[in-house]
Amino acid sequence: MLVLILSVVVLLVIGGCVCVFWAARGDAPRWARGVARATLLGSELARSSNRNSRSRQNGGDDASSVGND
């Protein structure tokens, strides 16, 4: 069951990446541009949550990670 869920998640991620690439080319239909926008938004949310968790682990001082991104 877990393998099935992970497979679906991987397929959704791959589909989102394909839609981002397709939309970047400029000839994607409206639904693909929407999927691309949602994929990019999810990516930004994941990146910001990762940054927040790293800053909490560092005691709130994020100066040590400046320039490491």
Side-chain angles (χ1 to χ4, degrees):
M1 184 66 175
L2 183 62
V3 173
L4 178 65
I5 293 171
L6 289 176
S7 298
V8 169
V9 169
V10 168
L11 286 175
L12 288 173
V13 168
I14 290 171
C17 292
V18 168
C19 286
V20 168
F21 179 74
W22 193 9
R25 289 183 55 203
D27 59 345
R30 185 179 298 167
W31 65 266
R33 289 190 304 255
V35 171
R37 188 173 295 124
T39 301
L40 292 173
L41 178 64
S43 168
E44 287 298 319
L45 289 173
R47 289 174 75 193
S48 68
S49 70
N50 187 22
R51 284 186 201 135
N52 289 340
S53 67
R54 274 193 292 162
S55 68
R56 279 189 227 118
Q57 289 175 351
N58 291 338
D61 184 20
D62 203 23
S64 64
S65 66
V66 173
N68 293 335
D69 288 338

